[in-house]
Amino acid sequence: MRGMNIYNARRRSNTVSVVLYYSAAIFGIAWLVLILFALLREGFGSLSLAVFTQSTPPPGSAGGLLNAIVGSLIMTGLGVLIGAPIGLLAGTYLAEYGRGTPLASIVRFINDILLSAPSIVIGLFIYEIMVAPMGHFSGIAGAVALAVIVVPVVVRTTEDMLTLVPGALREAGSALGMPRALVINRIAYRAAKAGLITGMLLAVARISGETAPLLFTALNNQFFQANLNEPMPSLPVVIFQFALSPYKDWQKLAWAGALLITLAVLALSIMARVLGSRKATQ
Amino acid sequence: MADVVVESGRLSYTGTGERARALRSLRLRDVVFHGLTLSAAVGVLILLGGVILALILGSIPSIKAFGFGFITSQTWNPVTDQYGALPSIYGTLVTSAIAMIFAVPVGLGIAIFLTELSPPKLKRPIGIAVELLAGIPSIIYGIWGLFIFAPFLQDHVEPALINVFGPIPGLSTLFAGPPYGIGVLTSGIVLAIMVLPYISSISRDVFETVPPVLKEAAYGVGCTTSEVVTKVVIPYSRAGVIGGAMLALGRALGETMAVTFVIGNADRISGSLLAPGTTISAKIANEFTEAVGDLYTSSLIELGLILFVITFIVLAIARYMLMRIERKGRV
């Protein structure tokens, strides 16, 4: 009789917890779906051809996001161009030359912290070392701030991907008498190519929505600007400014920009994932 | 080795002199490449050192002017050049605490659902969706919070909270005041939604390190699902779960955009969660470009330094915990 009671109590408590787990999952995922849904509705409602062909308007009139889109592309591209090689080399050190050394563990630890460090602090850092000495905000400062965010992402993925390359491949190269640099360049990099590209794509996805580090490095610019020495507009900063404004036209453009960024980030992440999984099935 | 060189077509193999030269150039390349990778790795350390150094140098005027009182003062007055960090630090800690209270249980729930309960067909798509959502930029959460979530809270949730908790002593101060929509509670919830994907994807990965044999053994002696989760899975992966939660906390503390939109930017400490407040990151984002005068700028940089120190400690603990579970998984 007593045993039956315990059995029933355990069953009841199990049912309760399982229901709780299920509802947590549904509850959590529902919020995320709600956000995406709102974004799609508002974003597509505000999207028009003018968004891609006109520059950001003065308060109270219609316009587009062309200058911000171009600015974002320039700074993101430059940021990856500066940050990715450094990250690739540092990641190579961690996975190849420095594997198992104390220096490598310290660098790995510090890199992991940089990976989630508050991006607004990176903005302050670049302000201190570039904007203040130069005396003005500039697109190049924005690109460098983004590069600082790219480095830890690429270091992490490069190390992970190179570690996955079987040691036997390297040993085969070494047995032929290839020096380390050739083994890495000709064998390890080639074997890990898809993974390395995945890392770059993730880095682009990561910085294409970054706002905080651009606020006081690249600042903003109402006009089209391709000169890296001048303040440069970017989609995230324009969204920030327009969304908090009282003008309906600006708010609509902010939604359109938010949708564009999200679509870009999702596309990049999915591309990275497809590349990564194709590699895994080989 | 010489054969490699010949094959690559850069040198033709003619004699021992050529061969020696080829060997030397290969050795040189190796040394150069080793040096390059090493300096890039050291560069990562210098980067962190540079960030800390730049922040410290930038905050010297403010540290000189206010000393330790900066952290305990509530005044923030650009007109009289008096600055204090307490309201921002308070806002940062409270919004992150609210975020954790909501996000940790729900995030763990999603992770448990994915590893233990989900039908195999749903496992992959939901897992991928959660991971994709972790990559959505925070500004998206911010704009959603401002235009959709805050008005919803203002119209439907906050009046109800005030009505329900108003008569209860203690809770009445926590939920006092007019429903603004934006404020500390709203920021906390938006942060919670933002860090939710991080917590669930990390905890799922951590739960998957639990050896199936342990779970099967528990099921074998007649344990229920909830007993397996609470007595086998979570104890085994506790360090990793704590590490994942700390990692999310680090994100929440330093998050700028999701908060700046909905915090309301009020420089005071209010007992009510419904009142507007501010956080360190929101304050920097809102005021830095408008800051005139060295002391104003320097005070904002010192805020950044405080934020960096707090997140550094939290993230270091997180990484330490996650490293422990990684080592366990490898054995």
Side-chain angles (χ1 to χ4, degrees):
Chain A
M1 193 60 205
R2 181 106 174 271
M4 215 50 207
N5 276 341
I6 294 176
Y7 177 73
N8 282 333
R10 283 178 58 213
R11 272 189 58 171
R12 263 199 307 278
S13 92
N14 182 51
T15 317
V16 171
S17 348
V18 168
V19 167
L20 276 178
Y21 299 144
Y22 269 101
S23 37
I26 294 167
F27 180 72
I29 292 163
W31 280 110
L32 299 167
V33 171
L34 267 178
I35 293 184
L36 277 188
F37 179 73
L39 180 70
L40 292 178
R41 194 189 56 205
E42 300 282 337
F44 276 113
S46 319
L47 215 54
S48 65
L49 192 63
V51 168
F52 301 98
T53 55
Q54 292 175 22
S55 282
T56 44
S61 58
L65 293 167
L66 177 67
N67 53 342
I69 294 173
V70 172
S72 269
L73 287 177
I74 293 176
M75 284 191 284
T76 305
L78 212 57
V80 173
L81 223 55
I82 301 170
I86 300 174
L88 186 69
L89 286 171
T92 307
Y93 180 81
L94 295 185
E96 302 282 343
Y97 290 110
R99 198 182 278 193
T101 60
L103 175 67
S105 352
I106 296 171
V107 172
R108 189 175 303 122
F109 191 73
I110 295 298
N111 188 69
D112 278 347
I113 286 179
L114 278 176
L115 199 61
S116 359
S119 55
I120 190 147
V121 172
I122 307 292
L124 285 177
F125 168 60
I126 298 298
Y127 177 87
E128 281 285 287
I129 65 161
M130 284 186 76
V131 178
M134 285 164 78
H136 58 89
F137 300 101
S138 63
I140 185 76
V144 173
L146 293 180
V148 172
I149 296 170
V150 168
V151 170
V153 180
V154 176
V155 170
R156 184 65 192 267
T157 47
T158 304
E159 192 201 352
D160 287 351
M161 292 307 153
L162 287 178
T163 316
L164 287 180
V165 175
L169 279 180
R170 292 193 189 86
E171 284 158 18
S174 297
L176 289 173
M178 286 170 87
R180 205 66 193 273
L182 271 191
V183 172
I184 295 168
N185 276 299
R186 297 290 174 77
I187 297 174
Y189 279 169
R190 281 191 196 176
K193 197 163 116 202
L196 298 180
I197 296 172
T198 302
M200 312 276 165
L201 289 176
L202 288 177
V204 177
R206 169 80 198 272
I207 59 171
S208 49
E210 278 292 351
T211 321
L214 294 176
L215 283 175
F216 21 85
T217 52
L219 198 68
N220 198 353
N221 199 327
Q222 204 193 318
F223 305 104
F224 192 89
Q225 185 57 261
N227 183 350
L228 282 170
N229 208 17
E230 293 288 326
M232 192 176 266
S234 62
L235 269 180
V237 176
V238 167
I239 295 173
F240 178 53
Q241 186 197 350
F242 281 15
L244 286 170
S245 77
Y247 313 110
K248 275 273 167 284
D249 287 321
W250 277 19
Q251 292 177 359
K252 279 186 83 171
L253 280 176
W255 274 114
L259 177 70
L260 290 181
I261 288 188
T262 309
L263 291 182
V265 168
L266 282 180
L268 284 164
S269 318
I270 290 170
M271 262 160 69
R273 178 166 285 281
V274 169
L275 257 179
S277 66
R278 192 190 297 158
K279 181 73 201 164
T281 50
Q282 266 176 12
Chain B
M1 192 194 306
D3 292 345
V4 177
V5 179
V6 174
E7 230 183 312
S8 68
R10 266 182 294 115
L11 271 179
S12 56
Y13 178 49
T14 48
T16 40
E18 291 283 341
R19 190 188 172 113
R21 206 171 304 148
L23 281 174
R24 251 202 314 281
S25 93
L26 282 175
R27 196 166 308 135
L28 184 71
R29 271 184 62 174
D30 197 34
V31 171
V32 169
F33 192 66
H34 188 165
L36 270 179
T37 59
L38 178 64
S39 44
V42 174
V44 173
L45 297 184
I46 294 174
L47 200 59
L48 184 85
V51 171
I52 296 173
L53 197 68
L55 290 178
I56 291 177
L57 287 180
S59 20
I60 283 176
S62 148
I63 294 174
K64 270 189 185 152
F66 306 115
F68 192 72
F70 185 71
I71 300 178
T72 53
S73 161
Q74 285 202 45
T75 337
W76 188 275
N77 192 339
V79 181
T80 58
D81 244 6
Q82 286 294 316
Y83 305 101
L86 197 60
S88 329
I89 297 176
Y90 170 83
T92 301
L93 297 180
V94 170
T95 48
S96 300
I98 296 173
M100 288 296 113
I101 291 171
F102 285 111
V104 169
V106 178
L108 287 182
I110 296 178
I112 293 168
F113 170 79
L114 283 175
T115 49
E116 307 298 327
L117 300 168
S118 158
K121 258 189 193 165
L122 283 178
K123 212 169 176 167
R124 246 180 80 80
I126 295 182
I128 291 174
V130 167
E131 272 170 38
L132 287 179
L133 285 164
I136 301 265
S138 56
I139 194 166
I140 307 299
Y141 294 94
I143 193 174
W144 175 80
L146 176 68
F147 286 121
I148 297 186
F149 191 52
F152 170 75
L153 282 183
Q154 185 175 20
D155 294 343
H156 303 291
V157 180
E158 290 186 353
L161 284 176
I162 294 169
N163 284 338
V164 173
F165 292 112
I168 307 171
L171 287 176
S172 61
T173 39
L174 220 48
F175 296 101
Y180 289 103
I182 54 177
V184 175
L185 181 68
T186 316
S187 309
I189 299 176
V190 171
L191 273 182
I193 299 172
M194 198 199 87
V195 296
L196 193 58
Y198 299 132
I199 297 186
S200 14
S201 69
I202 295 175
S203 332
R204 187 203 54 183
D205 291 349
V206 168
F207 287 158
E208 272 170 2
T209 63
V210 178
V213 182
L214 288 185
K215 289 193 272 183
E216 283 155 15
Y219 281 119
V221 295
C223 282
T224 60
T225 309
S226 93
E227 283 163 351
V228 170
V229 168
T230 52
K231 304 220 165 95
V232 177
V233 175
I234 291 182
Y236 185 90
S237 51
R238 192 182 296 131
V241 170
I242 296 172
M246 296 288 274
L247 202 62
L249 176 62
R251 296 257 176 171
L253 286 168
E255 177 46 45
T256 311
M257 281 308 143
V259 175
T260 308
F261 280 99
V262 287
I263 187 82
N265 309 312
D267 271 313
R268 53 190 157 84
I269 297 177
S270 170
S272 170
L273 294 179
L274 305 183
T278 191
T279 68
I280 296 180
S281 48
K283 194 147 194 61
I284 302 174
N286 275 317
E287 299 184 17
F288 195 79
T289 44
E290 292 157 17
V292 278
D294 285 345
L295 200 54
Y296 195 173
T297 312
S298 172
S299 299
L300 287 169
I301 293 179
E302 192 181 347
L303 275 183
L305 180 65
I306 294 171
L307 175 66
F308 194 65
V309 171
I310 298 175
T311 47
F312 189 96
I313 295 169
V314 170
L315 291 172
I317 299 173
R319 287 301 171 185
Y320 174 72
M321 293 282 194
L322 286 172
M323 247 154 64
R324 270 178 50 189
I325 195 91
E326 240 168 62
R327 241 174 257 147
K328 210 170 174 181
R330 223 174 281 152
V331 173

